[in-house]
Structures are given as structure tokens and as C-alpha cells.
Amino acid sequence: MEQVSKSYEENQAGKVGLLERFFKLSAHNTTVKTEIMAGLTTFVTMSYIMFLNPIIMSKTGMPFDGLFLATCLGAAIATILMGLYANWPVGLAPGMGLNAFFTFSVVGAMGYSWQIALGAVFLSGVIFVLMSVTRLREWMLDSIPMSLRLAMTAGVGLFLGFIGLRFTGIVVANPDNVVALADLTHFGFGKFGPEAPALGFLSFLLIAILSYRKVFGAVLIGIAATTFIAFAMTWVLPTDFFVIAEEAKAWAPASGFVNYTGLLAVPEFSALEPILWKADIAGAFEVALIPVIVTFLFVNIFDTAGTLMGVAERANLQDKNGKIEGLSKSLKADSISSVIGTGFGCPPVTSYVESAAGVAAGGRTGLTAVTIGLLFAVGMFFLPLAQMLPGFAVDGALIYVAMLMMSSLKGLDWNDLTEYAPAVCTTVMMAFTFSIANGIAFGFITYTVLKVGAGKSSQISAGVWALTALFIAKFMFLN
């Protein structure tokens, strides 16, 4: 017995020693236990993407079950790659905002198939990889003014917020004012799925309050609490209480909002077949899709750069000269992940700012990322849970994420009209035109015209001049 115990201890010591050598734990002043707990913390804070991404992307006609597995697999592979290659404590998953742009702008408004949209994602990912291995990345980051970069994040947030309000049923179409406030007492089924404006707003409020109080897993708790309330309503209220719109009668269940079908199931990878390696790359080689590819690229690059630099600062990954250790590798891992994710049917896979939660919990190395990736892999077993969650409960999280992204506007120089006006224009036009690409285009054109008009044309970089010309050409010849 003593010999067996000794062998077990030696085996465990060997594993710890291997992890120590590979991830350089001591050099980063951390331990295996701390890294694993940090990974768990980040996973819990960003795991909402497992439920939100399939709900959004399935509006394109892609199968929900396949998208759920694709989200988990794409996040798992990308995050493990980040951990093993770059040794950074960062989680990656399909990007919020980019998935909405994919669904509602490229496929919905522009009318392209989801296969061609995936082809555009693939091309933007390849360009990102090329930029990551050359000096083009630095040129891009240096040439685009900070005000427009901040505006892109905020604009995507406002875009997401509008979608969340629309999906929960809080905002409805209005023939006189385009949009209007819905009947908050309405409970039923509509074009976009189950509708319960009051419960959707409650989900957002719960998540916001719990997050403010720094409750672990605030997003998941808010979604779970709202789902439980909807489940209780299903049992307590009569079935005729739930109003079913004409366009929803073919699919809406008569039993209420939530049908319990279990929590766990063995993944059926055959569900991936309809979307696996289905990107139409040749179809994406179209002039009209250039702004789409540029949009995917811009949002991905600036979101990734901002996230990675923020995580590096919090994790003390900078040397005494201010150089960020492993930044180049982390950017390469992120860009390669976008290309890999396309194969599974994912929108651009990107680094998540929620990684800061794991860093705050002590995560300093790639072991944190590997832990996150393995947990996403385990997440594939929770498909029945994902199928059970009502859309409005998850959309409350969408509104919450939107509010977080909008906070980037606080970094603007509000004393310089030529800086904040283009940023505000970018932000509002993304939501009001229901297109991230149009918002970016209006922002660049406004920035250039205001700078020239104010006699500050020397502040306009060559990159901004070129992109302004591109966007003007878009409105003249491609609309």
C-alpha cells in the first residue's frame, strides 16, 4: 500500500513537473491549482457564447444542433492553440457582433448564402494571418485613429443591443416611427421565437446586478433564473395564455415556453455534417463583398488587439522596457483560429475580454487557456440544455454584453469635435442602418471630411485616405 501511494505521488509530481517546464509556471509566479481555477473562472464568464452563438447563427438557416457543437469545438481548439502556442491565459470563441453581422447583414439584408458568408470570413481570416506575420499589422493599428477604433467596439455593442431588444420582443416594428416599445405584458411566440419582453428585460437586470456585485457566473445565473421562471409559467398558466402569432403557428409548442428534455447527452457529431467545411470561398471573390471582408477584418483585428493588450497589462506580461511578451504569437494564434473556425461553420473566432476575469483570479500562463478549452469541449455534452433555454432569457445576456461594449466611448476625446463626431456617427449608424459595414464607412468618411474642413488634414493617415476612398466608391457603385 505504501509503495502504491509513493508511486502515485511520484506520478503526480512528474505531471506537475511537465506542466511547470512547458508553461513556465514558476517564472510567472503561479501554480497548477491557480491556473486551473483561473481557467474555470474565465470559462464561466464567457460560456454564454455556447448558447448565444447558435441562437443568432441559426437565423441563417444553419442547424442549431450543428452550430452548438461547432461553437464548442471552435472555442476549444482555438483556446487550446492559444495556450500551447502563445502560453497566454486567453479564451477564444466566435465573436459577438461578428456573428450578428454575419447573420443579419451579410445573409439577411444583403441576401448572400451562409456558405458565401463563411467564404468571406475565411478570406478575412487569411488576410489577418498574413498581417500577423508581417509588419502590415503594425501599420494598420497605427494608421487607424483611436477614436474610430473605440467607435467600432461601441457600434457593434449598439448593434447587438438593438438585436437583443428585438429578439426579446421589447422593441417591435412600427409603421409610423419604424420601431416602438412593445406590450410588456405580452407572452407568446413570434417571428423570432418565444417572446416575453418583461422576462427578457428581467434577465438583463439580473445579470447586470449580479455582475456589479461581482457574483461568480453572473451571466449564467441570470439566464438560469429567467429560464426557471419561464418553466414555472409553463406549468402554472393555461396554454391559451401564450399568444401564438400566425407566422409561428407551424412550429410553436402548445405547452408553453420551456420544454424540459434533459441536461446532458452524448454529442452526435453527425449534426456537424451540414455545416462542416461548407464555406464557399470562390463565391466570396466578389467586388460587392470587399466591404464585408474589410468589416470582418477590422472588427476582428481591433477587438483582438485591444483585448490582448488589456490582458497583457493585467497579467504583467510586459518586460521592463514595456514590450509585451508573446504578443506576436498570441496574435498569430488568434488569426489562425479565425481560419480554423470557418471549417466548423463559425464566424470569426476571436479573443474574449472576459479573459480578464481569469487573469484577476491569478491566471498567468497558457495552462489557464488549456483549461478553458477543455471545458468548452465538455460543453458539447450540454446540447439538451441549450435547446431548452428560451431565447429571451439568453437575449438578456446579449443586451448586457452590448452595454459593456458601449462603455468604450468613455475613451473618446469629448473636447475635439473632429474626433468624437465621427465616432458617434460610426456608433449610431451601425444600429440605425442595421449594418456594421455601413457604420464603419460613414465613420471614416465623416472623420476625413471633418479633419479637412477643420484644417487638420495632416492628422489623416494614408490608410484613412485609402479607406475613405474605398467606402465612397462603395456607396457610389455598389449600393
Side-chain angles (χ1 to χ4, degrees), residues 1 28 38 46 81 116 133 149 167 202 233 262 267 279 287 317 329 336 348 371 382 388 399 451:
M1 185 68 179
H28 291 88
M46 65 180 288
L81 173 64
I116 290 179
V133 298
R149 285 193 253 168
F167 277 7
L202 174 64
M233 290 176 64
V287 175
L317 295 174
K329 282 189 173 183
I336 292 170
T371 302
F382 288 88
M388 182 180 70
I399 299 171
K451 287 293 184 182

Side-chain angles (χ1 to χ4, degrees), residues 15-287:
K15 291 180 181 178
V16 172
L18 178 63
L19 295 175
E20 162 64 36
R21 290 192 298 272
F22 190 87
F23 294 107
K24 301 178 177 61
L25 301 178
S26 297
H28 291 88
N29 194 29
T30 185
T31 65
V32 172
K33 180 181 178 181
T34 299
E35 293 291 297
I36 292 175
M37 289 305 299
L40 175 62
T41 301
T42 296
F43 172 76
V44 170
T45 59
M46 65 180 288
S47 57
Y48 63 83
I49 190 61
M50 294 193 301
F51 311 112
L52 269 175
N53 190 59
I55 286 177
I56 293 174
M57 296 283 288
S58 61
K59 309 298 181 185
T60 64
M62 301 170 77
F64 180 91
D65 293 8
L67 286 167
F68 179 80
L69 294 178
T71 302
C72 294
L73 277 173
I77 293 171
T79 307
I80 291 173
L81 173 64
M82 176 67 77
L84 296 180
Y85 177 66
N87 197 26
W88 270 43
V90 173
L92 295 90
M96 287 301 301
L98 291 172
N99 52 9
F101 175 64
F102 181 105
T103 299
F104 301 107
S105 293
V106 184
V107 177
M110 299 177 71
Y112 289 100
S113 69
W114 58 262
Q115 292 91 339
I116 290 179
L118 280 176
V121 172
F122 177 85
L123 292 178
S124 71
V126 170
I127 296 172
F128 191 7
V129 171
L130 293 176
M131 293 180 70
S132 296
V133 298
T134 64
R135 299 189 65 85
L136 282 174
R137 183 190 72 229
E138 286 83 0
W139 175 81
M140 178 66 73
L141 292 174
D142 292 339
S143 63
I144 307 303
M146 179 59 70
S147 58
L148 291 182
R149 285 193 253 168
L150 294 171
M152 287 181 203
T153 300
V156 171
L158 190 58
F159 182 71
L160 280 178
F162 182 65
I163 291 171
L165 292 170
R166 195 174 168 203
F167 277 7
T168 56
I170 296 173
V171 167
V172 295
N174 182 283
D176 298 321
N177 302 315
V178 183
V179 293
L181 180 67
D183 177 6
L184 296 180
T185 64
H186 168 71
F187 295 91
F189 297 87
K191 179 180 179 181
F192 298 106
E195 295 177 344
L199 292 182
F201 192 55
L202 174 64
S203 174
F204 159 68
L205 292 175
L206 285 174
I207 294 169
I209 292 170
L210 293 172
S211 298
Y212 178 80
R213 293 182 173 277
K214 295 181 170 52
V215 175
F216 183 66
V219 175
L220 291 182
I221 293 173
I223 293 173
T226 307
T227 300
F228 179 79
I229 294 172
F231 184 67
M233 290 176 64
T234 297
W235 284 93
V236 172
L237 298 174
T239 54
D240 59 3
F241 176 82
F242 303 99
V243 179
I244 302 179
E246 190 64 36
E247 62 267 28
K249 287 183 178 179
W251 60 267
S255 56
F257 281 147
V258 180
N259 293 316
Y260 180 76
T261 56
L263 298 177
L264 295 167
V266 177
E268 295 185 11
F269 291 101
S270 58
L272 276 172
E273 197 279 329
I275 60 176
L276 193 65
W277 307 113
K278 292 297 190 295
D280 184 356
I281 300 171
F285 279 96
E286 184 178 324
V287 175

